[in-house]
Amino acid sequence: MRKITPLLFLLLPALAFGQGAQDLPTKIAALETAVKSAQSAGDNAWMLVSSALVLMMTGPGLALFYGGLVRRKNVLGTMMHSFVLMAVVTVLWAVCGYSLAFGEGSAVVGDFRYLFLENVGAAPNADYAGTIPQQTFMVYQLMFAIITPALISGAFAERMKFSAMLLFTVLWSLFVYFPMAHMVWGKGGLLNAFLGGKFPCFDFAGGTVVHITSGVSALVCALFLGKRLGYPHEPIKPHNLVISFIGACLLWVGWFGFNAGSALGASALATSAFVATHFGAAAAALGWMLAEWMHNGKPSVLGGISGCVAGLVAITPASGFVKPFPAMVIGFAAGLLCFYMVAKVKQKFGYDDSLDAFGVHGAGGTLGAILTGVFATNAVNDALKDAAGKPLPLGLVDGNGGQVVNQLIGVAIAWVLAIVGSLIILKICDVVLGLRVDKNDEVQGLDLSMHGEEGYIFEG
C-alpha cells in the first residue's frame, strides 16, 4: 500500500467528501505530485541562493580580503586574480570540468559524459541531488571550482605574471582540483563515503577538495617562486585593512552557502550545517585573538578576521556531521593552530606565503578534516545505514575510531596530489611563460606593470 504522509492523511476526509471513494487514489497521487513539486521548488530556490552566496565569496569577498592585505601598488592585480577566475574557470567547467569531476569514470577522475554540459538540464541526477535540476547542482559545484584556485593566489601575490597565473590555474584545475573533487564527491570516487569509495572520507563541503589542495599548493607556489623583493627585511604591510575587514565579513556570510548549501536542499541538515559554520567561525576568531593577545599584548583586527576565516576553513568538512559544541571546539582549535602557523612556523622557516594561504587554508583544512573523523555523528547526519536501515556510526564519538584513519588517508592523498601536481605544473608554466615578473615590474607594482592601471588616483 502506498505510504500516506501526515499532510495527506489530514486531507483525506476533505477529498472523500462529495467526490466519491473511487476518486481517492487519483486525488492522493495528485497531492503527492504537488508535495514533491513544492519540495523541489523550495530546494531549488535554496540552492540557487547558495550558489550566489558562494560566488560572492570570490568576488567581492576574497577579492576585497586579499586586496586589502597587499601593498597599494598591487591591489588591482591581486583583486583581478579572483575576478578573472570567475570567467576562466566557468568556461573550463562548461567544457570538461563538470564531467571530469562528476562523471562516472574511474576511482580517480570522471569520464566525458557531460562534455560541453551535454545532458545537464532540468532533470535531477538522483546520485547527487534528487530534488533539484542537475543544472542547479552543476552551477553550485562550479562556484567551488572558482574559489579554490583563487585561494592559492594569496601565496604568490605581488610577484607572479598574470599570464603564468592563468596557465597555472587552467592546468591546476584540470589535474588537481577536478580529480580531487571526483575522488571525494563523484560517484565511484576513491574517497566517496556515500557512493562507493574504497576509503570513505567525510568531507561535507570541501576540507580536502578545496582547502587542503589550495593551501598546500599555495605553499608549493611560495617556495617555488621565492620571496618578494625585500622580504623579510623590509616591512611589507597591508595597505587597507578596512577593505580586508569588509571582505572577511562577506566571506563569513557567503560561507553559509558554501557549507549549508552542501546539504543540497532546504532541510534540517542544512540548518545544522549553517549553525555549525557560524559557531565554528565565532570560536576561531576568539581563539586567534586570544593567542595573539597573549603573544603580542594586543588583539589586532587582522588577527580577528584571519581567525574567523581559519574557523570557517576548519569547520567546512565537518559542518554537516557535527553538533554545535564540537563545532566550536574545532573552530577554537583552528584559531590557535593557524595563529601558530602564521606567527611562528612561517617565521621559523622563512617562506614567503604572502597572504598566509597555507597557514590558514592548508593547516586549517587539515585540522578540520582530521577532527571530522573524531566528532562526526549520526545524530546529525544519518545518511549512512546498514542493511536493516539503522544509521551507522560515523566518527570516534559514535564508536567508529576507524574513521579517523580514513580521514588521514584522505588528507594524505590531498597533500600528495597538491604537492606533486603543483610542482609539475609550476615547472611547465616557468618553461613556457616564465613565472615571476622581473625586478623592475615588481618594484613598480603589478597594477601598472601587468594591467596599466592604478588602484588609487590622488590627483585633483
Side-chain angles (χ1 to χ4, degrees):
M1 182 178 177
R2 178 180 291 153
K3 183 178 179 181
I4 300 176
T5 66
L7 174 61
L8 295 179
F9 182 80
L10 292 173
L11 291 173
L12 283 178
L15 288 169
F17 182 73
Q19 296 295 322
Q22 67 274 18
D23 294 333
L24 201 54
T26 302
K27 297 292 185 181
I28 292 174
L31 273 173
E32 286 180 336
T33 300
V35 168
K36 289 179 181 178
S37 178
Q39 179 186 1
S40 178
D43 288 346
N44 195 42
W46 166 239
M47 292 311 302
L48 290 174
V49 169
S50 293
S51 300
L53 286 170
V54 180
L55 183 62
M56 186 186 75
M57 291 173 63
T58 304
L62 188 67
L64 288 169
F65 183 68
Y66 275 178
L69 295 179
V70 296
R71 288 167 290 185
R72 190 178 71 191
K73 62 184 179 180
N74 295 312
V75 58
L76 286 181
T78 300
M79 296 177 80
M80 186 61 171
H81 289 163
S82 294
F83 179 81
V84 76
L85 297 190
M86 294 165 67
V88 171
V89 177
T90 294
V91 173
L92 187 62
W93 188 253
V95 172
C96 65
Y98 177 69
S99 193
L100 292 174
F102 291 98
E104 293 183 27
S106 68
V108 176
V109 70
D111 56 20
F112 295 115
R113 70 183 60 202
Y114 301 126
L115 203 66
F116 299 104
L117 300 183
E118 185 70 22
N119 299 316
V120 179
N125 184 331
D127 290 327
Y128 298 120
T131 64
I132 61 174
Q134 185 175 191
Q135 196 169 60
T136 300
F137 175 78
M138 177 277 297
V139 81
Y140 177 70
Q141 294 296 339
L142 163 62
M143 304 313 173
F144 287 71
I146 289 171
I147 195 171
T148 306
L151 295 172
I152 303 174
S153 68
F156 54 68
E158 303 193 298
R159 61 195 188 277
M160 192 176 195
K161 290 181 181 178
F162 185 69
S163 57
M165 185 276 296
L166 292 175
L167 180 58
F168 174 83
T169 295
V170 170
L171 295 177
W172 190 88
S173 297
L174 286 170
F175 296 106
V176 178
Y177 183 82
F178 298 156
M180 194 68 204
H182 178 77
M183 281 190 278
V184 175
W185 293 329
K187 185 177 181 181
L190 182 67
L191 301 172
N192 194 311
F194 300 92
L195 294 172
K198 184 176 181 180
F199 302 104
C201 176
F202 295 152
D203 187 353
F204 193 72
T208 53
V209 179
V210 175
H211 298 295
I212 293 179
T213 58
S214 65
V216 173
S217 296
L219 177 62
V220 174
C221 287
L223 293 172
F224 195 94
L225 266 75
K227 303 172 185 178
R228 287 168 290 179
L229 295 177
Y231 181 91
H233 310 295
E234 299 175 8
I236 301 178
K237 296 182 179 180
H239 89 282
N240 193 333
L241 281 176
V242 173
I243 66 172
S244 293
F245 184 92
I246 296 170
C249 292
L250 287 169
L251 284 170
W252 193 334
V253 173
W255 225 289
F256 294 126
F258 202 85
N259 288 359
S262 291
L264 301 176
S267 62
L269 182 59
T271 300
S272 180
F274 192 111
V275 170
T277 299
H278 187 62
F279 283 32
L286 296 177
W288 186 303
M289 285 193 293
L290 177 62
E292 186 178 45
W293 205 336
M294 295 175 65
H295 185 263
N296 298 334
K298 296 178 181 178
S300 70
V301 172
L302 178 57
I305 60 178
S306 298
C308 157
V309 174
L312 291 165
V313 168
I315 199 58
T316 289
S319 56
F321 298 105
V322 302
K323 294 179 178 180
F325 188 77
M328 288 193 287
V329 173
I330 293 172
F332 190 78
L336 298 179
L337 173 66
C338 293
F339 170 78
Y340 177 77
M341 293 298 297
V342 170
K344 293 290 187 180
V345 174
K346 178 178 162 182
Q347 275 67 33
K348 180 178 180 180
F349 290 97
Y351 57 87
D352 186 12
D353 177 6
S354 306
L355 309 182
D356 297 312
F358 172 70
V360 173
H361 296 276
T366 299
L367 176 69
I370 295 171
L371 292 182
T372 299
V374 175
F375 294 113
T377 175
N378 57 28
V380 171
N381 192 325
D382 63 355
L384 287 177
K385 295 180 172 64
D386 61 19
K390 182 180 178 182
L392 292 169
L394 298 187
L396 182 62
V397 295
D398 280 353
N400 181 23
Q403 188 57 42
V404 177
V405 177
N406 290 333
Q407 298 300 114
L408 288 169
I409 291 172
V411 166
I413 290 174
W415 270 75
V416 171
L417 179 60
I419 292 171
V420 176
S422 296
L423 278 173
I424 294 173
I425 293 166
L426 286 167
K427 186 62 178 177
I428 292 172
C429 293
D430 200 23
V431 170
V432 173
L433 296 172
L435 281 172
R436 186 159 179 164
V437 299
D438 63 39
K439 291 184 177 180
N440 290 334
D441 288 344
E442 187 172 342
V443 171
Q444 182 184 38
L446 272 60
D447 290 1
L448 282 171
S449 64
M450 294 291 106
H451 305 288
E453 300 168 297
E454 292 181 83
Y456 303 97
I457 306 296
F458 295 109
E459 298 174 1

